Amino acid sequence: MRLMSRRDSHMRLCFGQLICVLAALPLFSPSILSMDTPLSPEAVREAYFLGQRNDKNLRDLLGKYVRLLPAPDSGPDISSVTFLTPFALLAQLSSQRTMNYSAQQAELDHRGQPEIVRILVEIQLTPTYGAVIPRPTGSRSGAPIGYALRPDDFWKDFQVQVFNKDKELTPASSSGVPHFGCAQEGGCTLVGATLQFEFPAKAFRSDDVTIEITPPEGDPVAVDFDLSAFR
């Protein structure tokens, strides 16, 4: 039997340590800990061509970022929550620029721009939380009830909080857009709104994201996202 030399022992020790280091690398890789950010030039081109094709592959991709929610028994209907990563946003943008928009231009547009995450919350009015709200016409008890139109900015009464694991994140910007349904014979009625929040992509340090929406009436809603499943 050949005795192991000191050199053989040292080489085996180094090889074993190398295996341990390589095995640990995925645990600390930024792409594993969160979504794909910052995007590589290859990822930018992939998102560009995916958007330019604007086919079922793009629809399937964007569909993965949406959580559809069941309608409540009462109160407003928080119908969906969408979490759009930098890759998804770039593919979406490319699908909207089909005339004279090249891969080179997409790379130039993306270069130097801070990458963001966009969160969308869709709200639908319901029979119990509708476009018309009761309003007393007098201050005396038993005074008749009148009615008023719900304000277009009703969405400001909704509280939205975004948590990355245990840390609450503050959006870089937030806004809301009311939606109206219009009849052919004329006249439009408030039917809902879209809330939009933007965050720096680098703010998300963990895979675990929870979005909590508290409406002025009805039950609060919490939606979880696993960023390791996203591009």
Side-chain angles (χ1 to χ4, degrees):
M1 179 175 66
R2 185 175 70 89
L3 295 178
M4 183 183 297
S5 68
R6 178 177 300 178
R7 179 182 177 183
D8 291 340
S9 177
H10 177 71
M11 290 180 64
R12 178 169 294 184
L13 178 61
C14 291
F15 181 74
Q17 290 175 338
L18 177 62
I19 292 296
C20 292
V21 169
L22 292 176
L25 281 178
L27 298 178
F28 299 97
S29 171
S31 62
I32 296 299
L33 289 176
S34 62
M35 76 205 104
D36 191 1
T37 184
L39 296 176
S40 66
E42 293 76 17
V44 172
R45 289 179 62 85
E46 183 181 351
Y48 164 80
F49 285 112
L50 183 63
Q52 289 294 294
R53 288 192 297 270
N54 199 8
D55 56 9
K56 182 177 181 296
N57 291 328
L58 177 63
R59 294 191 295 272
D60 289 345
L61 171 77
L62 296 179
K64 295 178 180 179
Y65 298 82
V66 182
R67 298 289 183 270
L68 301 178
L69 305 176
D73 294 331
S74 62
D77 180 10
I78 301 167
S79 58
S80 69
V81 179
T82 304
F83 187 103
L84 294 174
T85 64
F87 184 87
L89 286 171
L90 190 55
Q92 188 181 63
L93 177 64
S94 175
S95 71
Q96 299 165 355
R97 297 182 176 180
T98 55
M99 296 296 293
N100 301 321
Y101 191 59
S102 65
Q104 293 76 13
Q105 187 60 52
E107 291 181 29
L108 289 174
D109 291 344
H110 181 266
R111 189 177 302 166
Q113 296 295 320
E115 294 185 345
I116 65 168
V117 160
R118 181 173 296 152
I119 294 174
L120 304 174
V121 178
E122 295 289 342
I123 302 170
Q124 306 292 333
L125 300 186
T126 66
T128 61
Y129 191 88
V132 178
I133 55 178
R135 182 179 63 181
T137 58
S139 59
R140 300 191 310 273
S141 176
I145 300 296
Y147 293 91
L149 295 179
R150 189 176 296 278
D152 296 351
D153 61 352
F154 76 95
W155 48 267
K156 292 182 178 179
D157 295 331
F158 289 70
Q159 181 181 3
V160 179
Q161 295 172 283
V162 177
F163 296 91
N164 188 212
K165 204 164 187 177
D166 298 326
K167 181 181 179 181
E168 182 175 1
L169 303 182
T170 301
S173 66
S174 61
S175 60
V177 177
H179 299 308
F180 297 88
C182 300
Q184 290 183 348
E185 58 272 17
C188 297
T189 303
L190 182 68
V191 296
T194 299
L195 280 62
Q196 177 175 296
F197 304 87
E198 292 187 350
F199 298 82
K202 63 183 180 181
F204 293 86
R205 304 295 182 86
S206 167
D207 288 339
D208 303 322
V209 174
T210 299
I211 301 171
E212 297 182 357
I213 305 107
T214 304
E217 300 178 19
D219 297 328
V221 170
V223 180
D224 296 323
F225 288 91
D226 179 7
L227 301 190
S228 67
F230 289 172
R231 287 296 307 271

